[in-house]
Amino acid sequence: MFATRRIRFCPACGAPAEYRVPADDNRERAVCTGCGLIHYENPLNVVGTVPVWGDQVLLCLRNIEPRRGLWTLPAGFLELGESTTAGALRETEEEAGAHVELQELFTVLNVVRVGQVHLFYRARMLDTHLDPGPETIEARLFREHEVPWDQIAFRTVRQTLEHFFADRRGGRFGVHVGDIG
Amino acid sequence: MFATRRIRFCPACGAPAEYRVPADDNRERAVCTGCGLIHYENPLNVVGTVPVWGDQVLLCLRNIEPRRGLWTLPAGFLELGESTTAGALRETEEEAGAHVELQELFTVLNVVRVGQVHLFYRARMLDTHLDPGPETIEARLFREHEVPWDQIAFRTVRQTLEHFFADRRGGRFGVHVGDIG
């Protein structure tokens, strides 16, 4: 169900783990049958940007699975040691080689089914130089009517783009929080 | 440095793991010396609320470590299978036994040093009935001048409270994104 693998052995001591509800808890956890340590599993954050140049937004054609050959906003897993803003900037650099100035937080979208929270920031492109990394086949700017809506890789990306164009028409950008069913 | 423990054994097969930079990566990861699986470690989300009743906010006196005996907003780790809003509501119920209606996302605070992202929502209390769980010594409503500022458990809680009272004075609640140094 979730992206995380089941824990079969204790990462601390290597003894077999078993799933049971620990004392003072109400959920099944992986508990080590050797050293007794409890290993928690929690949702992951995906961070990215909506890079904007004039009336165009930047999309990346994915060169990796899942969803190779479909278009995405630059985004990826938040790493230890970085903030959500630093992670969003890093992914924009890695996947598109774009130079951007980060703006406001724009969407916070729960993807409960896979245990993820996606956070997208708006970003102002500083120039149109692009230098996509190995995860990207091609990075390209799209006007709203040019967006390949039937070839978008993820529902969080689609929803973020829909909010972006709607807010831009409305003349005001909000922060959109929602769930992907 | 981070809250997560180092991975010494492969959670999938139990063989020893070693930290090295895998091919096509640029960071050290725990890689299994047996089955070769890569085990990623990522920041965790803490979700909570600012429960409001009239001109008062609800704080909980912690009955657990860390920071036992200090005051906090109801908050805790986001679990697999729930959205950030569902998690914030659950923690409010578990730690304070308060009945609230969730309002807007209010703060998104990176605590990079410990690998956490804290998300707080404003919440309207539906009544003043409180029934704190075992993690809480006491739950109590505070007016701004009554808040025990020198006994607040976490800097994200302090900063969220400061933003709350400032925004309330200003007559408009925003979404505040920031880093805890």
Side-chain angles (χ1 to χ4, degrees):
Chain A
M1 180 178 185
F2 300 115
T4 47
R5 303 179 191 101
R6 298 285 281 186
I7 295 172
R8 298 180 57 230
F9 295 90
C10 175
C13 80
E18 64 178 16
Y19 279 83
R20 60 177 176 82
V21 180
D24 303 326
D25 204 338
N26 49 24
R27 284 165 194 261
E28 281 208 335
R29 312 283 183 187
V31 183
C32 179
T33 58
C35 71
L37 274 180
I38 303 169
H39 300 285
Y40 297 91
E41 293 155 276
N42 301 86
L44 300 176
N45 288 324
V46 169
V47 291
T49 61
V50 185
V52 178
W53 178 258
D55 63 346
Q56 301 173 91
V57 297
L58 181 69
L59 297 178
C60 298
L61 189 60
R62 285 174 67 80
N63 195 29
I64 51 170
E65 296 296 344
R67 317 287 165 84
R68 186 174 186 283
L70 296 179
W71 294 90
T72 186
L73 290 164
F77 287 109
L78 181 65
E79 299 276 5
L80 285 176
E82 70 184 4
S83 65
T84 51
T85 48
L89 278 174
R90 175 182 53 73
E91 290 289 346
T92 307
E93 166 61 33
E94 284 179 6
E95 298 196 347
H99 309 128
V100 302
E101 176 185 87
L102 215 66
Q103 298 179 295
E104 301 299 306
L105 180 64
F106 185 57
T107 53
V108 178
L109 299 171
N110 291 283
V111 195
V112 172
R113 196 175 44 82
V114 293
Q116 296 178 2
V117 182
H118 291 214
L119 297 97
F120 285 90
Y121 291 81
R122 287 184 295 114
R124 190 173 73 84
M125 289 177 66
L126 301 175
D127 55 57
T128 57
H129 177 79
L130 299 173
D131 183 17
E135 297 182 7
T136 302
I137 296 169
E138 178 191 359
R140 196 202 293 181
L141 290 164
F142 292 87
R143 293 191 172 78
E144 181 174 3
H145 71 274
E146 298 167 336
V147 170
W149 291 107
D150 56 346
Q151 298 165 57
I152 299 295
F154 303 104
R155 289 167 67 191
T156 56
V157 170
R158 168 186 291 275
Q159 207 166 105
T160 297
L161 288 170
E162 288 171 351
H163 282 305
F164 175 79
F165 291 118
D167 280 14
R168 197 175 62 176
R169 279 193 297 274
R172 184 180 169 274
F173 291 102
V175 181
H176 302 274
V177 181
D179 300 339
I180 301 289
Chain B
M1 180 178 184
F2 301 115
T4 48
R5 303 178 191 102
R6 298 285 280 187
I7 295 173
R8 298 180 55 230
F9 296 90
C10 176
C13 79
E18 64 178 17
Y19 278 82
R20 60 178 177 81
V21 180
D24 302 327
D25 204 338
N26 49 24
R27 285 166 194 259
E28 280 209 337
R29 313 283 184 187
V31 182
C32 179
T33 59
C35 71
L37 275 180
I38 302 168
H39 300 284
Y40 297 90
E41 294 155 275
N42 302 85
L44 300 177
N45 288 322
V46 170
V47 290
T49 62
V50 186
V52 178
W53 177 258
D55 63 346
Q56 301 174 91
V57 298
L58 182 69
L59 297 178
C60 298
L61 190 59
R62 285 175 66 81
N63 194 30
I64 50 171
E65 296 298 345
R67 316 290 165 82
R68 187 175 186 283
L70 295 179
W71 293 90
T72 186
L73 290 164
F77 288 109
L78 181 65
E79 299 275 5
L80 285 177
E82 70 185 4
S83 65
T84 51
T85 48
L89 277 174
R90 175 183 52 74
E91 289 290 345
T92 306
E93 167 61 32
E94 284 179 8
E95 297 196 348
H99 309 127
V100 302
E101 176 186 88
L102 215 66
Q103 299 179 296
E104 301 300 307
L105 180 64
F106 186 57
T107 53
V108 178
L109 299 170
N110 290 284
V111 196
V112 172
R113 196 176 44 83
V114 294
Q116 295 178 2
V117 182
H118 291 215
L119 297 97
F120 285 91
Y121 291 81
R122 288 182 294 112
R124 190 173 72 85
M125 291 177 66
L126 301 174
D127 55 57
T128 57
H129 177 79
L130 299 173
D131 182 17
E135 297 183 8
T136 302
I137 297 168
E138 179 191 358
R140 196 202 292 179
L141 290 164
F142 292 88
R143 293 191 172 78
E144 182 174 2
H145 71 273
E146 298 167 338
V147 170
W149 290 108
D150 56 345
Q151 299 164 57
I152 299 295
F154 303 105
R155 289 168 66 191
T156 56
V157 169
R158 166 186 293 275
Q159 208 166 104
T160 297
L161 289 169
E162 288 171 350
H163 282 305
F164 176 80
F165 290 118
D167 280 14
R168 197 174 62 176
R169 278 193 297 275
R172 184 181 169 276
F173 291 101
V175 181
H176 303 273
V177 181
D179 299 339
I180 301 288

